Amino acid sequence: MFILNSQERVYTPFRGPFDPCPPVPFKTFVVPPNQFINFQPPNLPQFSLPEALRYGTLWPALFSPYESKSKGGK
């Protein structure tokens, strides 16, 4: 397993000897930033209200720039 950035993880899925599907070389998943913060420190910086609505969180430390890998749009 190797790390692409601090939030994205990569792993190789199991492939059984009799699996009829073509092998998938690797899969990725995102670990949300709240998994790295054990407690909320006092005086944590905050986004302004319009920014918080745009980013989906009040605190920049909890913002995750996740982008969907699907090609179907939003």
Side-chain angles (χ1 to χ4, degrees):
M1 179 162 98
F2 58 92
I3 299 174
L4 296 179
N5 65 34
S6 63
Q7 295 177 6
E8 191 169 355
R9 302 291 192 266
V10 178
Y11 70 97
T12 304
F14 173 77
R15 172 135 164 58
F18 303 109
D19 192 353
C21 301
V24 177
F26 62 89
K27 289 189 174 192
T28 61
F29 64 97
V30 175
V31 179
N34 65 334
Q35 299 297 310
F36 302 110
I37 299 176
N38 296 331
F39 62 94
Q40 181 175 340
N43 301 322
L44 199 60
Q46 296 182 354
F47 284 127
S48 67
L49 200 50
E51 287 178 319
L53 291 171
R54 184 172 54 245
Y55 293 127
T57 183
L58 183 59
W59 300 280
L62 297 179
F63 173 68
S64 177
Y66 173 76
E67 294 181 12
S68 176
K69 304 251 191 275
S70 67
K71 308 260 191 275
K74 293 185 179 184

